[in-house]
Amino acid sequence: DQQVKQNSPSLSVQEGRISILNCDYTNSMFDYFLWYKKYPAEGPTFLISISSIKDKNEDGRFTVFLNKSAKHLSLHIVPSQPGDSAVYFCAASAVGNQFYFGTGTSLTVIP
Amino acid sequence: EAGVTQSPTHLIKTRGQQVTLRCSPISGHTSVYWYQQALGLGLQFLLWYDEGEERNRGNFPPRFSGRQFPNYSSELNVNALELEDSALYLCASSRGLNYEQYFGPGTRLTVT
C-alpha cells in the first residue's frame, strides 16, 4: 500500500520558470514531511521539510506548501535552473514511525 | 562534518550467495535506516535501527536482516540472494525520531 504518492513520474520546465512537484498522502497521522533531491548514482540529498503545524516553508528558491485537508504537499522551485534536473522524492512520517517515500518525479530543466 | 558512508560501492554476487553491506552514520546520529531502490522504483523501506535496537522493518522477507553496533554503525545482511535483489541499497542516518534523514551514496548490488 503506497501511502505517499507522486503521480507525475516526470516533469519538464524551461530554465527560469517555476517547477511545481506534487505529492499526495493517505495517512492523516502523518505530521512531518520532507523533500529530497537525487542525482543518478548518488544518495538522496535533503532539501526542505515542513511540519503539520505550518502550511508553508521557504528556503531560498525552494518553497514547500502543505494542504492538510487535501493531504497534499507541493514543492515549488523558482527560478528553475539546469542544475535542478534530478529526481525529487517526497517523504512523510507520523510521530514514532519511519518515513514513507514516494516513487519520485524526474525533473528536467531545459536551458 | 563527515557524511554517511557506505561500503562497498559496488558488488556483484551470484544467486544463492550471501552479502553484507555496511554503513557508518553521521557522528551524533543514533538512527540508521536501510532502503532498497530497484531500477525504476522508489525508495522501499527495509529496516530502521535506533540505539542498537531494530525499531521497524518493511515488507521484505526474513532473509533481509541487519544489526546496529554500539558505535551506531550498521550492517545489512541479505541471504540466499535472488536476481530481483539487484538494486541500489541506501543507508540513511538521523538524530532520532522524526528528524530529517541524511543518505549515504549507496551500494549498487548486482545479482547474476
Side-chain angles (χ1 to χ4, degrees):
Chain A
D1 179 31
Q2 192 72 27
Q3 298 194 46
V4 178
K5 298 176 184 178
Q6 294 176 258
N7 292 318
S8 298
S10 63
L11 175 69
S12 291
V13 170
Q14 289 285 338
E15 181 179 3
R17 306 294 290 267
I18 184 171
S19 294
I20 300 176
L21 298 107
N22 294 304
C23 180
D24 297 293
Y25 60 95
T26 57
N27 189 340
S28 58
M29 300 300 291
F30 287 153
D31 60 358
Y32 191 51
F33 305 88
L34 310 175
W35 281 96
Y36 286 86
K37 177 166 95 171
K38 185 180 184 301
Y39 293 117
E42 293 183 13
T45 303
F46 168 71
L47 266 178
I48 192 168
S49 65
I50 188 167
S51 74
S52 58
I53 62 172
K54 291 185 170 183
D55 55 16
K56 177 182 172 181
N57 190 24
E58 222 171 324
D59 184 2
R61 297 186 297 113
F62 301 92
T63 303
V64 56
F65 294 92
L66 176 62
N67 183 333
K68 291 184 288 294
S69 60
K71 296 192 185 68
H72 176 84
L73 68 156
S74 61
L75 175 69
H76 293 210
I77 307 173
V78 181
S80 300
Q81 300 173 354
D84 296 330
S85 296
V87 177
Y88 289 78
F89 292 95
C90 64
S93 78
V95 174
N97 286 283
Q98 80 273 11
F99 281 94
Y100 294 86
F101 282 78
T103 51
T105 296
S106 178
L107 173 66
T108 302
V109 180
I110 303 164
Chain B
E1 179 185 80
V4 177
T5 59
Q6 291 185 245
S7 63
T9 53
H10 294 88
L11 206 49
I12 300 175
K13 291 284 190 178
T14 56
R15 202 167 56 182
Q17 284 188 311
Q18 178 266 343
V19 69
T20 297
L21 310 181
R22 294 178 175 82
C23 173
S24 290
I26 291 171
S27 177
H29 286 191
T30 60
S31 281
V32 170
Y33 309 80
W34 287 95
Y35 296 88
Q36 182 197 66
Q37 187 184 22
L39 194 62
L41 297 179
L43 299 171
Q44 302 296 314
F45 168 72
L46 267 165
L47 289 160
W48 168 24
Y49 292 95
D50 182 67
E51 296 284 0
E53 300 283 332
E54 181 181 300
R55 299 299 183 184
N56 205 354
R57 65 179 293 129
N59 190 24
F60 281 83
R63 56 191 186 81
F64 287 83
S65 65
R67 55 180 172 167
Q68 186 179 33
F69 298 96
N71 67 354
Y72 303 114
S73 66
S74 177
E75 284 182 352
L76 173 69
N77 298 293
V78 188
N79 294 322
L81 284 166
E82 299 179 3
L83 296 178
E84 53 264 35
D85 296 334
S86 296
L88 179 67
Y89 288 84
L90 290 161
C91 171
S93 73
S94 73
R95 285 186 285 158
L97 294 173
N98 298 118
Y99 287 92
E100 57 271 16
Q101 298 175 17
Y102 292 85
F103 284 82
T107 294
R108 172 71 62 187
L109 172 64
T110 302
V111 182
T112 62

